[in-house]
Amino acid sequence: MDNILSGLKWKICVFYLDDVIIFSTMADQHVEDVDTALHRLCEAGVSLNFEKCSWFCDVVEYLGHIVRPGQLHVQNKNVDALKHAQFLTTKNLLKSFLGKCNVYRRFVKDFTKRAKPLNALTGAELPPHLPPPTDVAIAALKDICHALFCPPVLAFPKANRKLVVDVDACADQVGCTLLQEEPGDLLHPVGYWSRGLTAADQNYSTTERECLGVVWAVLKLRHFLDGQRFLIRTDHRTLRWIDSTTDSSGSLMRWRICLSEYTFDMGYIPGASHHLPEFLSRASTVALQEDIHDDIPCLALVETANGLRTGRYTGTHTPELVEFDDVVKAQQTDDYCVEKSTRVERGTAKAFFHNEHHALYRRMPKGNQLVIPKS
């Protein structure tokens, strides 16, 4: 589907496997967008099941969610089966249940805390057939089911709305909340996230853990935040410290450079008023600890190298900014790139591919890499 609808994703449609949703702002434009997408599918020989299609709707069921203008809901029929759920007797069934709940964890405040007694029963030290459940485990199951019966309505992030990231950290966990400003200066939640700290992370000082929380939150939410100005709020003077510190340790410099790619303002909220992210960070959890991919990018794009423009870049030599179009143009004359592009067209270079902008990329385990020509 990526090849069939190349160049249309996020412009007039989004898709997951064979589920496609087409969106427009105006009815007349929607007719053209639907026609464009259908022509692509027809040319690729794709057939549609008409009974499963919905046309020109304001409300759409998509991937277990109800999508309304500016709002996201849980699809009721997907959680109705949980109303009479009995406690699961095997680890496989319990993992399957938690996996289904995990799809909607964005809607469930304090999900990791609520699921802790159930996650504890999926450990390798327990037998495949679970012992009789404790009262705590039964209460946790009922609590999660109840939370999914009446989940909150989340907002869709919009490019013209102010975004606020609330961050907090404690001794063993960090948490963040993404909020969007709605008409009337009201902040509406877009989602809730939390992460456990590794043993190495827990050795950080309080200030360093706060910095780690900010970096993790920004990288976690980068698909919402990149390309626009946003506000970060913490109950600690985190960024003032990281900008003024003379410590040149590897992690601090990486975090400093990572944050320099984004345009944001920093706000301070006293701990007594910072309830939600503080609770998310302090809610005990046995969830997996995520890696923080804070590797320093080797290519500074014009739209993201905000640190160079705003004076937060700390290097002694200021590199020239490189535009993405210049890289793509240089690929067309570079011998190595030309050879790989020819093999891509022949289908003999499985490790390389072209995106919708005809840029050459290499597939890597931790993400696709743009191939940089020698020139």
Side-chain angles (χ1 to χ4, degrees):
M1 197 62 69
D2 280 283
N3 293 331
I4 296 174
L5 298 177
S6 174
L8 303 181
K9 190 175 183 180
W10 300 117
K11 294 181 180 179
I12 66 170
C13 67
V14 291
F15 47 83
Y16 178 75
L17 299 180
D18 59 348
D19 290 311
V20 181
I21 184 169
I22 305 170
F23 55 87
S24 310
T25 55
M26 304 293 292
D28 293 342
Q29 181 62 42
H30 192 58
V31 174
E32 297 180 9
D33 294 340
V34 170
D35 183 66
T36 299
L38 291 182
H39 268 86
R40 289 283 192 93
L41 296 173
C42 181
E43 291 173 356
V46 176
S47 59
L48 304 179
N49 186 335
F50 188 78
E51 295 180 354
K52 293 184 177 180
C53 297
S54 300
W55 306 99
F56 302 93
C57 300
D58 291 329
V59 180
V60 178
E61 296 181 3
Y62 190 67
L63 299 179
H65 296 77
I66 301 296
V67 182
R68 289 186 171 91
Q71 296 181 344
L72 189 66
H73 303 248
V74 169
Q75 192 170 4
N76 290 333
K77 70 179 183 181
N78 281 6
V79 297
D80 282 345
L82 301 178
K83 289 183 179 179
H84 307 290
Q86 300 296 318
F87 199 88
L88 305 168
T89 57
T90 68
K91 283 201 299 185
N92 285 340
L93 290 175
L94 182 57
K95 288 179 180 179
S96 178
F97 168 80
L98 291 173
K100 183 173 184 178
C101 295
N102 195 59
V103 173
Y104 300 111
R105 68 179 296 163
R106 179 180 169 188
F107 291 84
V108 181
K109 191 187 301 183
D110 319 323
F111 179 86
T112 51
K113 178 190 176 184
R114 292 176 170 183
K116 179 181 178 181
L118 301 179
N119 279 323
L121 297 176
T122 62
E125 67 279 3
L126 293 177
H129 290 274
L130 298 174
T134 63
D135 292 341
V136 174
I138 294 175
L141 179 72
K142 293 181 178 179
D143 180 43
I144 290 179
C145 290
H146 177 73
L148 290 175
F149 296 154
C150 49
V153 176
L154 299 181
F156 280 135
K158 298 181 179 178
N160 59 343
R161 300 282 174 84
K162 179 181 179 180
L163 292 178
V164 177
V165 183
D166 283 349
V167 184
D168 191 63
C170 67
D172 58 0
Q173 192 167 339
V174 294
C176 70
T177 306
L178 181 62
L179 304 167
Q180 178 174 265
E181 189 175 72
E182 301 291 345
D185 295 331
L186 298 175
L187 293 177
H188 198 93
V190 175
Y192 313 96
W193 293 266
S194 58
R195 170 192 182 270
L197 297 180
T198 65
D201 295 338
Q202 294 178 31
N203 291 328
Y204 288 146
S205 67
T206 301
T207 303
E208 288 174 322
R209 285 198 299 270
E210 293 284 349
C211 290
L212 174 67
V214 169
V215 174
W216 163 77
V218 170
L219 294 179
K220 182 77 174 178
L221 306 176
R222 61 187 179 277
H223 50 292
F224 297 118
L225 306 175
D226 194 24
Q228 63 178 308
R229 194 177 194 93
F230 57 95
L231 173 65
I232 300 175
R233 303 192 302 187
T234 72
D235 59 356
H236 198 280
R237 310 283 185 180
T238 307
L239 266 297
R240 290 187 181 180
W241 176 81
I242 198 172
D243 276 340
S244 61
T245 182
T246 57
D247 190 341
S248 60
S249 65
S251 59
L252 291 178
M253 293 307 298
R254 286 201 308 274
W255 296 346
R256 200 167 179 174
I257 294 176
C258 283
L259 292 176
S260 71
E261 297 185 28
Y262 299 88
T263 304
F264 58 87
D265 298 306
M266 199 68 196
Y268 170 74
I269 300 181
S273 305
H274 207 47
H275 301 299
L276 181 55
E278 181 175 11
F279 190 86
L280 289 173
S281 71
R282 298 180 189 278
S284 180
T285 175
V286 293
L288 294 177
Q289 297 152 332
E290 304 173 21
D291 292 331
I292 297 181
H293 302 294
D294 57 354
D295 295 335
I296 299 172
C298 61
L299 174 65
L301 299 180
V302 166
E303 294 301 322
T304 58
N306 297 314
L308 298 175
R309 295 202 297 263
T310 57
R312 293 201 300 266
Y313 179 71
T314 58
T316 57
H317 171 68
T318 302
E320 294 183 3
L321 300 181
V322 180
E323 292 191 16
F324 178 78
D325 291 342
D326 292 337
V327 176
V328 177
K329 184 177 180 180
Q331 285 182 347
Q332 298 173 3
T333 57
D334 182 79
D335 293 339
Y336 178 83
C337 294
V338 170
E339 188 267 334
K340 294 300 180 184
S341 297
T342 303
R343 291 185 58 190
V344 168
E345 295 175 358
R346 294 175 180 173
T348 59
K350 301 299 183 183
F352 295 84
F353 69 96
H354 287 124
N355 72 348
E356 63 271 20
H357 302 293
H358 306 288
L360 181 66
Y361 281 81
R362 182 199 300 268
R363 294 185 175 90
M364 299 296 289
K366 291 188 177 181
N368 300 325
Q369 291 183 346
L370 178 66
V371 179
I372 306 300
K374 292 182 179 180
S375 56

